PDB file of all heavy atoms in Angstrom:
ATOM      1  N   MET A 306       0.903 -39.668  23.709  1.00 98.00           N
ATOM      2  CA  MET A 306      -0.410 -39.051  23.896  1.00 98.00           C
ATOM      3  C   MET A 306      -0.517 -38.395  25.270  1.00 98.00           C
ATOM      4  O   MET A 306      -1.080 -37.291  25.407  1.00 98.00           O
ATOM      5  CB  MET A 306      -1.506 -40.107  23.714  1.00 98.00           C
ATOM      6  CG  MET A 306      -1.706 -40.532  22.275  1.00 98.00           C
ATOM      7  SD  MET A 306      -3.049 -41.740  22.071  1.00 98.00           S
ATOM      8  CE  MET A 306      -3.274 -41.666  20.273  1.00 98.00           C
ATOM      9  N   ILE A 307       0.038 -39.041  26.282  1.00 98.00           N
ATOM     10  CA  ILE A 307       0.003 -38.446  27.615  1.00 98.00           C
ATOM     11  C   ILE A 307       0.837 -37.169  27.637  1.00 98.00           C
ATOM     12  O   ILE A 307       0.445 -36.166  28.246  1.00 98.00           O
ATOM     13  CB  ILE A 307       0.507 -39.451  28.666  1.00 98.00           C
ATOM     14  CG1 ILE A 307      -0.434 -40.656  28.740  1.00 98.00           C
ATOM     15  CG2 ILE A 307       0.614 -38.790  30.046  1.00 98.00           C
ATOM     16  CD1 ILE A 307       0.117 -41.832  29.521  1.00 98.00           C
ATOM     17  N   ARG A 308       1.979 -37.177  26.952  1.00 98.00           N
ATOM     18  CA  ARG A 308       2.813 -35.973  26.908  1.00 98.00           C
ATOM     19  C   ARG A 308       2.076 -34.821  26.239  1.00 98.00           C
ATOM     20  O   ARG A 308       2.164 -33.670  26.697  1.00 98.00           O
ATOM     21  CB  ARG A 308       4.118 -36.252  26.153  1.00 98.00           C
ATOM     22  CG  ARG A 308       5.002 -35.029  26.024  1.00 98.00           C
ATOM     23  CD  ARG A 308       6.260 -35.341  25.242  1.00 98.00           C
ATOM     24  NE  ARG A 308       7.198 -36.112  26.025  1.00 98.00           N
ATOM     25  CZ  ARG A 308       8.362 -36.546  25.546  1.00 98.00           C
ATOM     26  NH1 ARG A 308       8.705 -36.301  24.284  1.00 98.00           N
ATOM     27  NH2 ARG A 308       9.193 -37.229  26.323  1.00 98.00           N
ATOM     28  N   VAL A 309       1.347 -35.082  25.163  1.00 98.00           N
ATOM     29  CA  VAL A 309       0.559 -34.037  24.507  1.00 98.00           C
ATOM     30  C   VAL A 309      -0.475 -33.482  25.473  1.00 98.00           C
ATOM     31  O   VAL A 309      -0.702 -32.262  25.542  1.00 98.00           O
ATOM     32  CB  VAL A 309      -0.111 -34.583  23.227  1.00 98.00           C
ATOM     33  CG1 VAL A 309      -1.099 -33.568  22.657  1.00 98.00           C
ATOM     34  CG2 VAL A 309       0.948 -34.937  22.188  1.00 98.00           C
ATOM     35  N   PHE A 310      -1.094 -34.356  26.240  1.00 98.00           N
ATOM     36  CA  PHE A 310      -2.084 -33.909  27.233  1.00 98.00           C
ATOM     37  C   PHE A 310      -1.415 -33.067  28.314  1.00 98.00           C
ATOM     38  O   PHE A 310      -1.951 -32.025  28.729  1.00 98.00           O
ATOM     39  CB  PHE A 310      -2.762 -35.132  27.842  1.00 98.00           C
ATOM     40  CG  PHE A 310      -3.771 -34.818  28.911  1.00 98.00           C
ATOM     41  CD1 PHE A 310      -4.834 -33.963  28.682  1.00 98.00           C
ATOM     42  CD2 PHE A 310      -3.665 -35.413  30.164  1.00 98.00           C
ATOM     43  CE1 PHE A 310      -5.768 -33.679  29.670  1.00 98.00           C
ATOM     44  CE2 PHE A 310      -4.587 -35.150  31.159  1.00 98.00           C
ATOM     45  CZ  PHE A 310      -5.640 -34.275  30.915  1.00 98.00           C
ATOM     46  N   VAL A 311      -0.249 -33.481  28.775  1.00 98.00           N
ATOM     47  CA  VAL A 311       0.483 -32.717  29.785  1.00 98.00           C
ATOM     48  C   VAL A 311       0.756 -31.302  29.285  1.00 98.00           C
ATOM     49  O   VAL A 311       0.582 -30.318  30.013  1.00 98.00           O
ATOM     50  CB  VAL A 311       1.810 -33.424  30.146  1.00 98.00           C
ATOM     51  CG1 VAL A 311       2.724 -32.499  30.933  1.00 98.00           C
ATOM     52  CG2 VAL A 311       1.537 -34.689  30.952  1.00 98.00           C
ATOM     53  N   SER A 312       1.177 -31.175  28.042  1.00 97.00           N
ATOM     54  CA  SER A 312       1.587 -29.883  27.496  1.00 97.00           C
ATOM     55  C   SER A 312       0.421 -28.977  27.143  1.00 97.00           C
ATOM     56  O   SER A 312       0.589 -27.750  27.111  1.00 97.00           O
ATOM     57  CB  SER A 312       2.452 -30.104  26.244  1.00 97.00           C
ATOM     58  OG  SER A 312       3.615 -30.831  26.553  1.00 97.00           O
ATOM     59  N   ASN A 313      -0.755 -29.551  26.905  1.00 98.00           N
ATOM     60  CA  ASN A 313      -1.841 -28.745  26.339  1.00 98.00           C
ATOM     61  C   ASN A 313      -3.155 -28.804  27.104  1.00 98.00           C
ATOM     62  O   ASN A 313      -4.091 -28.087  26.758  1.00 98.00           O
ATOM     63  CB  ASN A 313      -2.093 -29.181  24.896  1.00 98.00           C
ATOM     64  CG  ASN A 313      -0.880 -28.983  24.010  1.00 98.00           C
ATOM     65  OD1 ASN A 313      -0.581 -27.881  23.575  1.00 98.00           O
ATOM     66  ND2 ASN A 313      -0.151 -30.059  23.744  1.00 98.00           N
ATOM     67  N   GLY A 314      -3.262 -29.655  28.137  1.00 98.00           N
ATOM     68  CA  GLY A 314      -4.509 -29.723  28.897  1.00 98.00           C
ATOM     69  C   GLY A 314      -4.797 -28.435  29.656  1.00 98.00           C
ATOM     70  O   GLY A 314      -3.882 -27.669  29.976  1.00 98.00           O
ATOM     71  N   ASP A 315      -6.049 -28.207  29.957  1.00 98.00           N
ATOM     72  CA  ASP A 315      -6.497 -26.981  30.641  1.00 98.00           C
ATOM     73  C   ASP A 315      -6.064 -27.000  32.100  1.00 98.00           C
ATOM     74  O   ASP A 315      -6.357 -27.948  32.831  1.00 98.00           O
ATOM     75  CB  ASP A 315      -8.016 -26.883  30.540  1.00 98.00           C
ATOM     76  CG  ASP A 315      -8.544 -25.503  30.927  1.00 98.00           C
ATOM     77  OD1 ASP A 315      -7.980 -24.887  31.848  1.00 98.00           O
ATOM     78  OD2 ASP A 315      -9.520 -25.052  30.303  1.00 98.00           O
ATOM     79  N   ARG A 316      -5.378 -25.949  32.526  1.00 97.00           N
ATOM     80  CA  ARG A 316      -4.931 -25.836  33.919  1.00 97.00           C
ATOM     81  C   ARG A 316      -5.622 -24.692  34.656  1.00 97.00           C
ATOM     82  O   ARG A 316      -5.218 -24.328  35.761  1.00 97.00           O
ATOM     83  CB  ARG A 316      -3.410 -25.677  33.970  1.00 97.00           C
ATOM     84  CG  ARG A 316      -2.697 -26.896  33.407  1.00 97.00           C
ATOM     85  CD  ARG A 316      -1.190 -26.800  33.435  1.00 97.00           C
ATOM     86  NE  ARG A 316      -0.605 -27.958  32.784  1.00 97.00           N
ATOM     87  CZ  ARG A 316      -0.335 -29.117  33.381  1.00 97.00           C
ATOM     88  NH1 ARG A 316      -0.578 -29.253  34.678  1.00 97.00           N
ATOM     89  NH2 ARG A 316       0.183 -30.128  32.712  1.00 97.00           N
ATOM     90  N   THR A 317      -6.667 -24.161  34.049  1.00 97.00           N
ATOM     91  CA  THR A 317      -7.398 -23.051  34.678  1.00 97.00           C
ATOM     92  C   THR A 317      -8.749 -23.475  35.237  1.00 97.00           C
ATOM     93  O   THR A 317      -9.285 -22.820  36.122  1.00 97.00           O
ATOM     94  CB  THR A 317      -7.624 -21.918  33.658  1.00 97.00           C
ATOM     95  OG1 THR A 317      -8.497 -22.375  32.616  1.00 97.00           O
ATOM     96  CG2 THR A 317      -6.307 -21.461  33.057  1.00 97.00           C
TER      97      THR A 317
END
Side-chain angles (χ1 to χ4, degrees):
M306 287 182 166
I307 296 168
R308 178 181 285 178
V309 171
F310 178 55
V311 167
S312 299
N313 299 282
D315 193 324
R316 297 180 185 273
T317 66

